[in-house]
Amino acid sequence: SRLRKECDRWQLDMRDAHLIPESILDEEEQTVGDRWSILSSGAEGRKRVERLLTLAKLANSVDSNDMKAAKDAANTFFAAFMEDDAAARWWAVTGVTNGFSGGRPAEDMLQSAAKDKSAAVRVAAARGLHQLGKTDEAVSLLLQELKSDSDFVRHAAIVELDDIGAAATRAKPEVTRLRAETKNGYIKNVAEHLLQSL
């Protein structure tokens, strides 16, 4: 408990940018000039870190066997999904995916997230859809994201395809093309691993 509190304090004081997915960090960096400036803007930056830290901790601790806690968490995630902050929406989708095996509201949220303006949120939605048994939808969504201009988006998408594994067989031509064309070592390594299971 003491170490958790100290970690929270450190993340808030340091304005831990890793509470934001890499592809969103990259987009925001293009706007403000550097990663440090994204969260260093005084009270607003600290408030954003506090919000994202709260969502991150909840998303990674939901106990789906505790019905009341799961319902309270779901309500928090549904509210966060309506926020302007793409990172908050990403944590909302991640939390719903981590904590629930289904349910209409969660499925509706994931379907909406699949059309989100943020690529990071769309990739997170694909993970959730796969876990709900909608693997074909998830693969279609991830194949679209493999065509992104952003290495961060392509990397996130191929990692999710790798997790899907053999069920993503129809992705083989696109993954083969990406492996041949990319200069990004991380993407190439995951593509090679994925191709072994396709």
Side-chain angles (χ1 to χ4, degrees):
S1 176
R2 181 176 63 82
L3 289 173
R4 268 198 302 270
K5 287 175 185 171
E6 178 59 17
C7 184
D8 290 353
R9 182 206 61 75
W10 183 88
Q11 285 185 277
L12 290 170
D13 288 351
M14 296 302 294
R15 309 289 171 94
D16 187 2
H18 293 96
L19 291 166
I20 302 174
E22 285 286 338
S23 60
I24 297 174
L25 266 179
D26 184 56
E27 286 174 16
E28 293 188 21
E29 183 179 11
Q30 305 307 316
T31 304
V32 299
D34 62 82
R35 290 191 176 195
W36 168 248
S37 299
I38 294 169
L39 294 171
S40 65
S41 57
E44 282 304 308
R46 184 177 177 91
K47 184 177 173 185
R48 186 179 184 199
V49 174
E50 287 173 349
R51 177 65 174 147
L52 296 178
L53 180 58
T54 298
L55 290 170
K57 288 170 68 174
L58 184 60
N60 289 300
S61 66
V62 176
D63 180 0
S64 57
N65 295 318
D66 181 341
M67 296 303 282
K68 182 180 183 325
K71 185 176 180 181
D72 290 345
N75 289 334
T76 298
F77 295 136
F78 294 149
F81 185 67
M82 304 309 293
E83 294 181 23
D84 288 337
D85 187 348
R89 296 196 306 278
W90 185 88
W91 279 115
V93 172
T94 299
V96 163
T97 299
N98 289 352
F100 305 99
S101 58
R104 191 72 211 178
E107 185 176 333
D108 288 347
M109 182 177 141
L110 292 173
Q111 293 289 353
S112 181
K115 301 176 187 84
D116 197 90
K117 61 186 175 184
S118 167
V121 175
R122 295 192 301 269
V123 170
R127 176 177 168 257
L129 290 169
H130 168 60
Q131 288 194 15
L132 285 178
K134 298 182 177 296
T135 300
D136 198 51
E137 277 184 61
V139 171
S140 294
L141 190 53
L142 294 168
L143 282 170
Q144 284 299 116
E145 301 306 332
L146 285 185
K147 297 173 185 170
S148 170
D149 292 334
S150 166
D151 275 349
F152 293 108
V153 173
R154 286 193 300 271
H155 182 258
I158 202 160
V159 165
E160 295 304 335
L161 282 168
D162 192 40
D163 283 347
I164 292 171
T169 300
R170 69 187 178 89
K172 188 172 184 175
E174 185 62 23
V175 173
T176 302
R177 180 200 63 76
L178 183 61
R179 181 189 62 180
E181 293 178 4
T182 188
K183 292 180 172 52
N184 183 295
Y186 295 110
I187 294 172
K188 191 178 286 289
N189 288 342
V190 179
E192 288 172 357
H193 184 266
L194 174 55
L195 287 169
Q196 291 173 14
S197 65
L198 298 181

